[in-house]
Amino acid sequence: MTVITPSAGRRRVTVALVVCLVSFTAFWAAQRAAHVSMIDLMVYRAEGAVVCAGGDLYALRATAARLPSTYPPFAALLFAPLPLLDVALLRALATTANLVLLVLFVRLSLKLVGSARVETVWWAAAVAVWCEPVWTTLRYGQVNLLLAVLVLWDLTRRPAGGYDRWTGMGLGLAAAVKLTPALFPVFLLATGLAARLTGRDGAPWLRHARGAALAFAGATLLAAAVLPHDSWRFWTDVLFRTDRVGRAEEAANQALRGVLSRVLHTADPGALWIVCAALAAVLGLAVAVRAELRGRHAWAVCACAFTALLVSPVSWTHHWVWCVPLVLLLWTRGHRAAALGTLLVFWSYAPWWVPHGDGRPELRLEGAELTLSALYGGAGALFLAVTRTSLPRTRSATLGVKP
């Protein structure tokens, strides 16, 4: 048996930290060399300016691309301080914050899968920063890593008694900023109800779902009090206008709706997408609930995340930062080939290989180009299918906290 001395352990952590810092520095230099626009960050800044000026948030058209505001009003409240910062300083702070959030995300992902070695955080972060969803998140100045950290912080907490005043807070706030994470409280609610139907105590999951609902309601009501007109318009109109977010067929859209648009060569897959999304939501949630009730918490969380990405009207490639906990889950469970294959998919930047841009060439894709344009969505669907078939047939006798 090999004994690791404290000094050897410190050396390993130091080496991993140095490698991570070198990787992050190279990443920052590569982004500067690529002249990244951080265009979404500029939209956030414009939203903050509209809030401060008392303007019409959903009439906004920001940047040269004339991008609209698409998030709930609560997000705009959080963006209100951004106009106070110089653009160059804001870009630097956003990049730094996202790199710190990536480390936190990796740390929480390792906690989710039951790995506690400090040096693994630095090694994994050094690799994860080059995944396309992470690269594009920083390229656009997006909030995906912040939302993912809020979700995982909430789902990996183990307060005394299984519940405290913070339980559900992260999920509720994440959903109030961007609606896609709202599927996690639905997953908790479904798990609690399923547990009760099978004669188990579903209270922990139901309390967690209730905490998330209260946090979401509180944030949404706060936004309604400060921005009543914008809140009314969002929840009665903007929410249902999926065309505001972008064209469904764009190669960057890895949701089912985007895949169907490209396969069927239509800008609007209509009722077929609604049926497929509803079916995927039911099947994906069933996989997540079953995994949770069988004590496979990490599998359940990843299953819920990928279900949300698949059924959302639009899931841009940068939304798929959930590839990070997925790869770590597969690796730590001994599925090394699957982990490396998944990592290569998200390292490949494949959706950007196909024709895209002006002229809507995505509507004319065929053969291999169609496959490449659906690689992330296909990986998510494959993960759900494999998870469904690999779960144990007998339920866990515990609460479902085993990774």
Side-chain angles (χ1 to χ4, degrees):
M1 181 177 65
T2 302
V3 177
I4 300 177
T5 65
S7 58
R10 285 193 294 270
R11 282 197 299 272
R12 290 170 57 172
V13 172
T14 301
V15 169
L17 175 59
V18 169
V19 170
C20 183
L21 292 176
V22 169
S23 180
F24 280 12
T25 301
F27 176 89
W28 195 315
Q31 292 243 321
R32 286 181 64 85
H35 302 290
V36 296
S37 65
M38 303 193 81
I39 190 170
D40 288 342
L41 180 64
M42 297 303 101
V43 175
Y44 301 158
R45 189 173 187 269
E47 289 181 21
V50 169
V51 168
C52 294
D56 187 342
L57 181 62
Y58 296 106
L60 170 70
R61 291 297 183 272
T63 74
R66 296 185 56 77
L67 296 177
S69 175
T70 59
Y71 294 178
F74 179 68
L77 285 183
L78 300 182
F79 300 148
L82 299 186
L84 301 176
L85 300 175
D86 173 75
V87 170
L89 176 60
L90 179 60
R91 288 171 180 261
L93 290 176
T95 301
T96 302
N98 265 323
L99 290 174
V100 172
L101 286 167
L102 175 61
V103 174
L104 290 175
F105 187 42
V106 169
R107 175 67 186 91
L108 290 169
S109 297
L110 288 168
K111 184 178 180 181
L112 177 73
V113 303
S115 177
R117 294 176 61 178
V118 176
E119 65 267 27
T120 307
V121 175
W122 301 116
W123 284 115
V127 173
V129 74
W130 297 99
C131 291
E132 188 274 337
V134 177
W135 168 278
T136 310
T137 288
L138 274 81
R139 170 190 174 190
Y140 292 152
Q142 261 282 344
V143 294
N144 304 302
L145 288 169
L146 172 62
L147 301 184
V149 164
L150 284 172
V151 169
L152 274 192
W153 169 79
D154 205 331
L155 291 173
T156 56
R157 294 177 69 244
R158 288 292 180 265
Y163 184 79
D164 62 16
R165 62 179 178 175
W166 301 107
T167 301
M169 181 70 72
L171 294 176
L173 292 179
V177 172
K178 204 170 184 176
L179 292 178
T180 306
L183 193 65
F184 284 98
V186 175
F187 150 68
L188 294 170
L189 175 62
T191 304
L193 294 176
R196 285 191 171 180
L197 289 173
T198 55
R200 301 178 64 186
D201 180 15
W205 292 287
L206 295 176
R207 286 198 299 263
H208 203 156
R210 182 180 64 191
L214 289 174
F216 173 80
T220 302
L221 289 173
L222 173 63
V226 179
L227 304 169
H229 171 74
D230 294 323
S231 294
W232 175 260
R233 186 175 177 191
F234 178 83
W235 295 108
T236 61
D237 178 33
V238 174
L239 173 63
F240 306 101
R241 293 170 58 186
T242 56
D243 58 305
R244 286 173 56 90
V245 182
R247 294 194 296 265
E249 78 275 6
E250 290 187 42
N253 182 13
Q254 293 294 298
L256 279 173
R257 183 166 172 256
V259 174
L260 287 173
S261 292
R262 293 187 292 272
V263 169
L264 300 175
H265 308 295
T266 176
D268 182 11
L272 178 61
W273 166 68
I274 295 175
V275 172
C276 289
L279 182 60
V282 171
L283 294 177
L285 280 174
V287 170
V289 169
R290 186 179 180 189
E292 182 74 4
L293 291 177
R294 281 160 175 73
R296 300 297 188 265
H297 183 58
W299 295 91
V301 170
C302 288
C304 184
F306 280 94
T307 299
L309 290 169
L310 287 170
V311 304
S312 175
V314 172
S315 291
W316 303 125
T317 60
H318 53 79
H319 295 169
W320 293 72
V321 293
W322 285 93
C323 65
V324 174
L326 174 57
V327 170
L328 292 173
L329 174 63
L330 294 172
W331 184 268
T332 56
R333 294 303 180 274
H335 307 295
R336 300 296 172 84
L340 291 174
T342 304
L343 181 62
L344 288 175
V345 166
F346 291 98
W347 257 2
S348 69
Y349 294 62
W352 301 104
W353 296 0
V354 304
H356 60 278
D358 296 336
R360 309 180 80 166
E362 293 97 331
L363 292 175
R364 299 184 294 275
L365 298 180
E366 300 286 351
E369 290 180 340
L370 270 178
T371 301
L372 289 173
S373 76
L375 212 54
Y376 293 7
L382 179 61
F383 168 71
L384 291 174
V386 170
T387 301
R388 171 64 180 83
T389 59
S390 63
L391 289 173
R393 295 184 178 275
T394 57
R395 69 187 187 187
S396 172
T398 61
L399 179 60
V401 297
K402 183 178 178 181

